[in-house]
Amino acid sequence: MHFSIPFSLSDIEAAMPYLLAGLRLTVEITIVGLILGFFLGLLTGLATLSPTRWLRWPGIAYLEFFRGTPILVQALFIFYGLPDLLDHPVPAFGAAVAAIALNSGAYICEIVRGGVKSIEKGQREAGLSIGMSGFQTFLYVVWPQALRRIVPPLGNQGIISLKDTSVFSVIGVGELVRQGQVYIAVTFNAFEIYFVIAMMYLAITLTFSFFLRKLEKRQSRGYS
């Protein structure tokens, strides 16, 4: 039985313009979705810490719903389900960004909540003892320390969200995987294309991890 690994550099070269276009869209969806997700997660994370029930319970409901359902289902609901409710189509790009924002926001919500709760009670008491208000104590004492602690999990969430964009091919978003699928449908050369797609994801995640570690080291030196 003859066994060989199919690998055509000419096919890879021909596919690169399409894959790079898909990669650019993947990065755009990730960046926009994560920015929106950060602010959404920050607000809901603080809401879940509120002593007021009408703030706390909606935050918890959002957290549990979007952590408890797959991002693929969320994207399908936004793209196919919402148009039935709104009687208006939802653009595929907008649906992808919304899915990343809502999904990452739920995890960021839990990251923020955990980071704030990890700050010792004495830090809050110290701020109040020198005449700061509750808001000033949070803003100048608690939050800077919490932010330092949540940087690593925020970075990990960014990597997860980047990889999650691969599911958006099912709603027709022309991201990296979708572009590869379209090219494979024409050439039937799957091995080379999926290998290059995997290497592109790996290159981005390794680069992001490198800069994240540099940031962590810089923060460690700043607080040592």
Side-chain angles (χ1 to χ4, degrees):
M1 182 175 65
H2 178 69
F3 175 78
S4 63
I5 297 177
F7 210 88
S8 171
L9 293 178
S10 60
D11 277 333
I12 294 175
E13 184 178 358
M16 284 307 292
Y18 304 98
L19 297 181
L20 289 174
L23 180 62
R24 183 176 65 251
L25 189 59
T26 291
V27 173
E28 290 174 358
I29 292 171
T30 304
I31 291 175
V32 177
L34 282 175
I35 291 173
L36 296 175
F38 175 78
F39 288 106
L40 182 59
L42 177 61
L43 292 175
T44 53
L46 296 178
T48 60
L49 295 169
S50 172
T52 307
R53 284 189 296 177
W54 64 269
L55 283 176
R56 184 172 69 254
W57 285 110
I60 293 174
Y62 161 78
L63 168 67
E64 297 300 338
F65 179 83
F66 283 99
R67 281 203 315 170
T69 55
I71 191 172
L72 176 59
V73 175
Q74 296 163 16
L76 290 172
F77 176 78
I78 294 170
F79 186 68
Y80 293 111
L82 280 186
D84 290 342
L85 178 65
L86 303 175
D87 196 27
H88 191 277
V90 176
F93 180 84
V97 169
I100 288 291
L102 292 168
N103 186 268
S104 66
Y107 288 94
I108 292 171
C109 167
E110 186 66 5
I111 292 169
V112 168
R113 184 171 70 161
V116 172
K117 290 183 71 174
S118 72
I119 305 303
E120 296 77 8
K121 186 179 179 180
Q123 297 289 322
R124 298 180 178 87
E125 294 174 347
L128 295 173
S129 68
I130 61 174
M132 288 185 176
S133 66
F135 177 75
Q136 289 174 325
T137 300
F138 173 80
L139 188 62
Y140 297 114
V141 178
V142 176
W143 178 242
Q145 297 180 72
L147 182 61
R148 179 194 173 196
R149 296 183 182 183
I150 68 177
V151 165
L154 283 177
N156 291 333
Q157 181 56 45
I159 292 174
I160 292 170
S161 294
L162 172 70
K163 294 186 291 185
D164 281 345
T165 60
S166 61
V167 306
F168 298 142
S169 59
V170 300
I171 60 174
V173 178
E175 43 72 54
L176 181 55
V177 173
R178 177 65 175 175
Q179 292 284 17
Q181 289 174 336
V182 171
Y183 188 83
I184 291 168
V186 176
T187 63
F188 302 101
N189 292 327
F191 180 86
E192 303 97 317
I193 304 306
Y194 282 130
F195 177 80
V196 173
I197 289 173
M199 291 302 101
M200 285 182 166
Y201 277 115
L202 183 61
I204 294 178
T205 55
L206 288 178
T207 302
F208 188 79
S209 296
F210 171 79
F211 285 109
L212 181 62
R213 286 192 295 270
K214 296 279 284 186
L215 177 60
E216 290 178 36
K217 290 180 180 178
R218 180 176 297 180
Q219 284 187 324
S220 298
R221 289 196 299 267
Y223 283 86
S224 59

